[in-house]
Amino acid sequence: MVTQAAAVVDDFSLQLTLVLFITVVVVTLFTVLLTAPQHDEISEFYLGNRDMSPLRNGLAMCGDYLSAATLLGSTGLVALTGYDGLLQLGGTVVAWMMVLLLIAEPLRNSGKFTLGDTLALRLPRGQRSVRLALALCTLVVCLLYLVAQLVGSVALLTQFIGDPSRTARAMCVVVIGTIVVVYAAIGGMPGATTIQVVKAVMLVAGVGITAVMVMQHFSWNIDRLLSSAADNSNLGDEFLGPGLRYGGTTANKLDFFSLQLAIVLGLAALPHIMMRLLAPRTTQVLRGSVVWAVGLVGFVCLMAGVLGLGATAIVGREQIAEVDPRGDAAILLLAHQLGGAVLEALLSSLAFITLLGVAGGLTLAAASSLAHDLWSEVIRKGKAKQTEELAVARLAAVVIGVLGMMLALLSWGTSTATLAFLAFAIAASAILPTIVYSFFWRGFTGRGALLSLYGGLLCSVLLVVFSPIISSHPTSVYPDADFAWFPLQNPGIVSIPAGFLLGWLGSLAGGREEPAAAATGTSAFDEFQVRALVGTDQG
């Protein structure tokens, strides 16, 4: 566990940050109450007002994805590792291209409220068992990512007060978690959309203005920025070349490839991202929304790279590492150098708002899957009333929020990046094979879906348990134990192919499960493919 001995932010910045944070929270909570679903209709709670423009929905998608890990972690990674940090940022943009080209339109055309509805349409036989497996995977992915956000809030708190006491950690997690539960349980998708749009606008503006200040500092000369970063890194040209973080041993290189594979493929299967893809009313709005999201996420990642290099060039790599070995303090130290306490407070409050936005989206996605897939379709066998399902969804949001808070307090000291990237790996290993096979393989069966979901989940978790994340390393959860036979920190390079392989083997072993539709005589897959490729504009 890595902690800080002293705070990064001075008293004035702390007070200003607190004022800004409370102001934004009060305004957004009031807005959530105003925009919350006014009727007991699950469609409004799950999908909200479907009259959003492509820009607004694109901003919401951007807000759903970009977390404090991008603002703090990615910037710090660039500041400490240079080229390798920039390379990792590039994977995010490629991941959104995967969503645009492969997943977005077929999912929106064939889905209703959750991915479970798509799978039920594609695999009508045994759909309840598939929904159950999908709900479990969704819960695990969302909880891991939610815990990462809540643990990140405590890590951010250390920038203000130094190493927090147990009471301070608990208060921070409970306050942030409670706000998140209110966002999800009361606001539903309309409230979550409002929060995400506000957050995305603030994030794009914040990183853009700070990046402009960095470039102005170097007279808009990129060569000066790069040379100054290399000089102040005390590593020279090595800082601008590959291998500083992921070079050297074969295990390091494989770890980087495994991580990038999880990021690129996992994004397309994150439950809160898929839920957002179902919200547009027409495919034209969806295309425009994803294009906006790609552009906005790409812009923020580009600015994060500029800020990371600027932090090294202006503050110095050794000073950043001395304050926080993980580099999370890099952007705050840079802000203090460029704009003093005011800019530092603005970016600090922005980081907290970013945490809230992502955590709210995750809680809503998990609650929707539990209420719709597990309760309504599996337990109640499709006979639940809308008011009943809506009540279950809100109760599930509270339960997930409380569970996330408890796990976050137990997980203190675990890297937020590790938790987040494990969620990506599970999504890519369990959920993505099921999506791809459902859309593009006629021979895919319910047994194949179950093996993909359960097998990908189990494989990912087991590999992490027996990896250096848990034991055999000074930064492990149990540093004194040694049972890590899997050498990589991210399981994606093994678990993702395993998920696809299990889906293929299960489908072959399960025999033919493609009944013909009684009315038309065409196969269920043919009808599904027409729906997925052509679709209907949903009202």
Side-chain angles (χ1 to χ4, degrees):
M1 180 177 70
V2 181
T3 58
Q4 291 174 267
V8 175
V9 180
D10 58 34
D11 290 339
F12 176 70
S13 291
L14 175 58
Q15 295 168 4
L16 185 56
T17 300
L18 187 61
V19 171
L20 291 172
F21 176 71
I22 292 175
T23 301
V24 174
V25 167
V26 170
V27 171
T28 52
L29 282 175
F30 183 69
T31 306
V32 164
L33 291 175
L34 290 178
T35 59
Q38 302 300 311
H39 308 286
D40 292 332
E41 296 180 1
I42 56 175
S43 60
E44 188 178 3
F45 185 83
Y46 292 149
L47 301 179
N49 181 359
R50 308 189 71 194
D51 292 328
M52 293 181 294
S53 67
L55 173 58
R56 188 181 175 203
N57 203 44
L59 283 167
M61 288 181 182
C62 174
D64 260 324
Y65 177 71
L66 291 175
S67 66
T70 305
L71 184 63
L72 302 177
S74 296
T75 303
L77 187 62
V78 174
L80 296 180
T81 65
Y83 179 89
D84 282 5
L86 293 172
L87 200 61
Q88 184 167 311
L89 278 173
T92 299
V93 182
V94 176
W96 272 99
M97 295 304 296
M98 280 280 298
V99 174
L100 175 62
L101 298 176
L102 190 65
I103 298 298
E105 197 166 326
L107 179 64
R108 181 259 161 208
N109 288 341
S110 60
K112 187 177 181 182
F113 298 136
T114 66
L115 176 61
D117 293 327
T118 298
L119 296 184
L121 185 66
R122 170 65 178 86
L123 303 167
R125 291 185 180 178
Q127 60 163 295
R128 290 192 180 92
S129 58
V130 174
R131 282 186 188 267
L132 175 62
L134 178 64
L136 176 62
C137 291
T138 298
L139 180 62
V140 172
V141 171
C142 289
L143 266 180
L144 279 171
Y145 214 166
L146 175 60
V147 170
Q149 304 308 309
L150 296 177
V151 171
S153 70
V154 180
L156 185 58
L157 184 65
T158 64
Q159 314 296 337
F160 297 92
I161 65 173
D163 188 10
S165 65
R166 181 170 298 181
T167 302
R169 292 200 301 266
M171 287 183 61
C172 179
V173 169
V174 169
V175 169
I176 297 294
T178 302
I179 297 172
V180 166
V181 167
V182 173
Y183 282 161
I186 297 179
M189 181 60 84
T193 299
T194 301
I195 302 303
Q196 301 298 10
V197 170
V198 171
K199 163 201 159 179
V201 171
M202 292 176 62
L203 184 61
V204 170
V207 298
I209 291 171
T210 310
V212 167
M213 295 175 71
V214 170
M215 295 306 299
Q216 184 67 34
H217 183 85
F218 293 99
S219 302
W220 294 91
N221 189 321
I222 296 179
D223 287 340
R224 276 188 60 194
L225 171 62
L226 294 174
S227 60
S228 297
D231 293 339
N232 283 354
S233 69
N234 292 328
L235 296 171
D237 292 339
E238 184 182 355
F239 182 76
L240 301 178
L244 194 58
R245 178 181 176 87
Y246 298 108
T249 66
T250 302
N252 282 345
K253 296 175 181 178
L254 287 175
D255 219 352
F256 175 70
F257 179 74
S258 184
L259 174 61
Q260 290 294 81
L261 197 64
I263 292 174
V264 170
L265 299 180
L267 171 62
L270 290 177
H272 64 304
I273 299 296
M274 288 190 292
M275 193 171 180
R276 180 66 62 183
L277 295 175
L278 293 170
R281 187 182 299 275
T282 67
T283 54
Q284 184 176 3
V285 173
L286 174 67
R287 294 187 201 110
S289 301
V290 180
V291 169
W292 271 110
V294 172
L296 291 167
V297 170
F299 174 80
V300 172
C301 290
L302 177 62
M303 296 303 101
V306 172
L307 296 180
L309 293 172
T312 305
I314 296 173
V315 180
R317 180 176 179 271
E318 290 187 354
Q319 183 177 344
I320 294 171
E322 183 180 349
V323 172
D324 185 353
R326 291 174 296 190
D328 289 345
I331 192 171
L332 301 182
L333 294 170
L334 172 65
H336 188 77
Q337 290 288 335
L338 292 176
V342 174
L343 182 60
E344 191 175 17
L346 287 171
L347 291 180
S348 300
S349 60
L350 177 58
F352 275 115
I353 298 301
T354 303
L355 284 167
L356 287 176
V358 174
L362 291 164
T363 304
L364 178 62
S368 300
S369 181
L370 291 181
H372 185 66
D373 292 323
L374 183 59
W375 176 261
S376 179
E377 298 296 334
V378 175
I379 297 177
R380 297 282 285 141
K381 299 181 179 179
K383 298 178 182 178
K385 296 180 180 179
Q386 290 198 43
T387 52
E388 176 187 344
E389 184 175 336
L390 186 59
V392 171
R394 286 177 166 151
L395 178 61
V398 176
V399 172
I400 291 164
V402 172
L403 185 58
M405 294 181 221
M406 295 172 60
L407 291 175
L409 292 174
L410 292 175
S411 303
W412 167 242
T414 305
S415 168
T416 56
T418 297
L419 293 169
F421 292 144
L422 176 57
F424 273 76
I426 293 175
S429 305
I431 301 177
L432 184 67
T434 307
I435 298 174
V436 172
Y437 282 146
S438 295
F439 287 153
F440 304 111
W441 184 27
R442 180 184 297 274
F444 191 51
T445 65
R447 182 175 295 181
L450 291 175
L451 278 179
S452 280
L453 291 166
Y454 286 128
L457 172 63
L458 187 62
C459 182
S460 302
V461 173
L462 284 178
L463 290 178
V464 169
V465 168
F466 294 104
S467 75
I469 292 175
I470 305 299
S471 69
S472 77
H473 194 273
T475 59
S476 300
V477 177
Y478 301 106
D480 297 329
D482 186 7
F483 48 85
W485 53 261
F486 183 68
L488 308 182
Q489 297 199 34
N490 191 285
I493 195 171
V494 174
S495 61
I496 295 173
F500 278 95
L501 179 62
L502 288 170
W504 177 68
L505 291 175
S507 297
L508 293 183
R512 192 174 185 272
E513 289 188 15
E514 190 184 353
T520 63
T522 59
S523 70
F525 176 75
D526 289 332
E527 290 196 351
F528 173 83
Q529 197 168 46
V530 170
R531 172 76 178 268
L533 296 179
V534 179
T536 57
D537 290 341
Q538 303 167 20

